Amino acid sequence: MVELGYVKLDRHGAELLFQIFTEREERHAIAIASNRPFTEWDQTFTDKRLCQTIVDRLTFEAHFIENGTQSFCLASTTAKRKATTA
């Protein structure tokens, strides 16, 4: 699982990630998690053109699972705490 959106990637880092995505394309699944919509990924990838290419590569024949705006980790922790205090 790759998690995108927290750490900015310089051009070299983005190029390496792009190569990984390219090599896996059509051979293996790639799972991506992000706290940002695609429209904000240019804040993670400092090269706008490379960002567009990565989004294009990742979204081709992709399946999207959106869980809304609530943090899954926070919801899970809150549920566990409620269960132990009840």
Side-chain angles (χ1 to χ4, degrees):
M1 163 92 70
V2 176
E3 192 161 330
L4 299 174
Y6 291 102
V7 178
K8 285 188 179 186
L9 294 172
D10 63 9
R11 180 166 180 82
H12 181 68
E15 287 172 350
L16 291 174
L17 188 60
F18 176 75
Q19 283 195 311
I20 291 169
F21 292 157
T22 299
E23 289 176 16
R24 289 188 62 89
E25 183 182 25
E26 296 184 18
R27 290 189 291 161
H28 302 286
I30 300 173
I32 304 288
S34 180
N35 64 333
R36 296 182 182 271
F38 290 128
T39 56
E40 294 178 9
W41 277 24
D42 59 350
Q43 295 173 24
T44 299
F45 298 98
T46 55
D47 183 297
K48 191 170 190 156
R49 190 170 178 183
L50 185 55
C51 175
Q52 291 171 339
T53 304
I54 288 172
V55 170
D56 184 62
R57 181 69 42 101
L58 290 175
T59 57
F60 179 68
E61 296 189 12
H63 299 277
F64 296 92
I65 301 169
E66 294 185 54
N67 68 344
T69 57
Q70 184 179 10
S71 165
F72 174 79
C73 295
L74 177 61
S76 177
T77 301
T78 303
K80 285 178 186 175
R81 286 188 182 154
K82 284 182 182 179
T84 59
T85 59

